[in-house]
Amino acid sequence: MTEEIGMDKPIVLVVDDKLSAREAYRQMLKNDYEVVLKGNGREALEFVKQRPPHAVLLDIKMPDMDGIEVLRQMKEICPEVEVVMVTAYASLETAKEAMKYGAMEYLIKPAGIKEVKEAIRKAVSRRMRKARFDEKLLMLLSFTRSVTSSLDERKVLDTILEWAERFFEAEMIWLYKTDTATPELWASKGELSGSDEMLREAERIAAETMEGRELIVESERGIAGLPLIARDKVIGAFVFRSPMLREEEIGPSLKSLLTIFSDHAAIALENARLYEERKRVEEHLRRSKEKLKSALNGIIQAMALAVEMRHPLTAGHQRRVAELACAIA
C-alpha cells in the first residue's frame, strides 16, 4: 500500500518486506507525515530517484537486497536523505556497517511508538536543517555579489536591509554604527522598528554585541545581534527580530552563515566609507590645486609688472595702454 504524496507534510519512506510492519509504522506516523510504503529495496530506490523523501525508515533483514545495500545505493542517489535503520537481529558489526554508509540512527525491533517517532522527528528535522543551510548558502552568494556592486553608502545600506529581511526571515532590522560613544542608528526596516520600546531593546543588543564582538541570540525574545567587523575593527552592529530565532536552535552551521553575512555587510560598508573618504580627499586636492594655481598666476603677474615698471622702455606701458583703451571706448 502506498500513500498519496502531499505537499504540506514531510515525506517519510518506510521500507520493510513485512506488510504488518509497514502498516504499523504507517499508523504511527501518518498524522505528522506523508508516509510512503515500499516492500523491497528496488522499489524504494526507484522512489528515491523520482522523489527524494525527508527521512527513510529502513529494515535491514530483507530478501533479494538487504537494508545495508539499499542504504549504500540510496546514499549514492541522494546523499542528503536521512535514514533510520531497523532490525530484529542486532549486532555490533551490522551497526558499524550501517553507520559507515551514513545511517543516522539504528533501532532494535520491536521499537516502541515513542522511539520510532522521536527517531523520525530527528531525521526530518536534520534533513530540513540541511535544506535550509543550502538555501541560505545560495542566498549568501547572491547577497555578496549584490552588496559589492556599489560603493554608494545609501545603496549599500538599502541592499543590506533588503537581503537581511530575506536571509534572517526578519520582521524588524536595525543597523548601528560606532561613530559616537553609544550606538548610533544607521538604518532600519520594519513596521514597528521605530517604536521607542523596540529602539531601546535594539540599542541594548547592539551595545552588547559591539562590546563582546560576537553573535548574541535571545531566543525567547526572538532577537539577535551580530557585530559588523572590518579590518579587525568593530564599525557597528546588526540587530534583527525573527520568528526563526524562536522556532529553532541556531546551530554551528547556521551561525557561521549569519557571521559571514555580517562580515560581508561590514566589508561593503567599510569600502563605501573609504570610497567617500577618497572622494573628499580628491575634492580637497582639486580645490587646493586651483587655489595654488590662482596664487601662482598672481605671483607671475606681479613679477611681470615689477619688471615692466623697472625697464625704461616699458615703464608706464600698462598705464598708457589702459588710458588708450579708455580713449578709444
Side-chain angles (χ1 to χ4, degrees):
M1 176 180 179
T2 303
E3 292 280 300
E4 288 293 318
I5 301 171
M7 298 299 291
D8 297 329
K9 295 179 180 180
I11 300 169
V12 175
L13 172 62
V14 174
V15 189
D16 197 303
D17 61 310
K18 294 182 175 59
L19 177 60
S20 59
R22 296 198 300 271
E23 285 298 326
Y25 292 134
R26 187 179 72 84
Q27 291 299 324
M28 291 181 196
L29 302 170
K30 67 179 183 179
N31 290 337
D32 300 310
Y33 310 101
E34 291 292 342
V35 183
V36 178
L37 307 180
K38 297 296 179 182
N40 61 67
R42 298 191 189 284
E43 289 182 2
L45 292 172
E46 191 59 37
F47 176 81
V48 171
K49 288 178 184 177
Q50 300 298 322
R51 183 80 182 278
H54 293 81
V56 178
L57 194 62
L58 176 60
D59 188 33
I60 291 180
K61 191 75 171 178
M62 293 189 296
D64 298 329
M65 186 186 299
D66 69 17
I68 298 296
E69 179 58 23
V70 175
L71 170 65
R72 187 187 69 77
Q73 293 190 34
M74 195 173 283
K75 282 291 186 176
E76 288 181 356
I77 296 168
C78 181
E80 300 84 12
V81 70
E82 297 296 345
V83 182
V84 176
M85 306 299 291
V86 185
T87 184
Y89 307 94
S91 73
L92 181 59
E93 196 60 37
T94 305
K96 284 182 177 179
E97 202 170 4
M99 297 305 159
K100 171 186 172 182
Y101 289 117
M104 179 186 161
E105 201 158 337
Y106 187 90
L107 301 181
I108 309 299
K109 288 183 179 181
I113 294 176
K114 186 176 180 180
E115 189 179 7
V116 171
K117 282 188 171 183
E118 181 61 14
I120 293 299
R121 185 196 66 77
K122 287 180 180 178
V124 170
S125 177
R126 185 171 171 179
R127 176 74 176 90
M128 287 182 163
R129 283 199 303 272
K130 285 182 180 178
R132 193 187 198 95
F133 180 85
D134 291 344
E135 179 188 1
K136 291 199 178 294
L137 184 59
L138 290 174
M139 288 177 65
L140 184 59
L141 294 173
S142 298
F143 164 70
T144 301
R145 286 194 295 267
S146 181
V147 80
T148 54
S149 65
S150 175
L151 289 171
D152 179 82
E153 185 181 273
R154 185 66 258 173
K155 288 182 179 178
V156 170
L157 286 170
D158 288 343
T159 299
I160 292 171
L161 291 175
E162 177 190 343
W163 278 93
E165 186 176 27
R166 296 162 57 188
F167 192 82
F168 298 110
E169 301 167 28
E171 300 167 337
M172 285 171 272
I173 308 161
W174 300 267
L175 275 169
Y176 286 88
K177 56 183 174 180
T178 55
D179 289 353
T180 56
T182 57
E184 180 184 348
L185 187 62
W186 214 339
S188 64
K189 189 172 186 178
E191 188 176 344
L192 299 175
S193 61
S195 70
D196 291 341
E197 182 183 353
M198 290 293 98
L199 283 172
R200 282 195 298 271
E201 187 172 36
E203 186 174 316
R204 174 183 64 81
I205 294 290
E208 292 176 9
T209 298
M210 288 187 284
E211 183 178 355
R213 295 173 65 100
E214 62 182 6
L215 170 69
I216 291 177
V217 179
E218 295 185 0
S219 300
E220 291 184 3
R221 293 174 175 269
I223 192 167
L226 287 154
L228 295 170
I229 300 175
R231 297 192 297 177
D232 201 35
K233 177 185 175 184
V234 177
I235 65 169
F238 190 96
V239 181
F240 67 96
R241 286 182 69 97
S242 170
M244 176 182 74
L245 299 172
R246 293 186 288 266
E247 292 167 0
E248 66 175 84
E249 181 183 351
I250 304 296
S253 297
L254 187 53
K255 181 179 178 180
S256 68
L257 288 182
L258 299 180
T259 302
I260 292 170
F261 184 99
S262 67
D263 286 346
H264 288 189
I267 291 168
L269 287 167
E270 180 67 3
N271 287 344
R273 184 192 69 79
L274 292 173
Y275 177 68
E276 289 298 321
E277 188 175 294
R278 177 185 170 183
K279 286 202 303 183
R280 286 194 296 270
V281 170
E282 288 178 347
E283 179 62 18
H284 176 72
L285 289 174
R286 186 188 66 79
R287 291 181 180 179
S288 297
K289 186 177 179 180
E290 288 180 353
K291 288 180 181 179
L292 180 60
K293 183 178 179 181
S294 178
L296 286 173
N297 285 338
I299 292 171
I300 291 170
Q301 289 177 7
M303 290 175 65
L305 181 60
V307 170
E308 179 185 291
M309 294 293 291
R310 291 173 62 184
H311 198 283
L313 296 177
T314 58
H317 177 70
Q318 188 177 38
R319 177 180 56 79
R320 288 194 295 274
V321 169
E323 290 174 352
L324 180 60
C326 290
I328 293 173

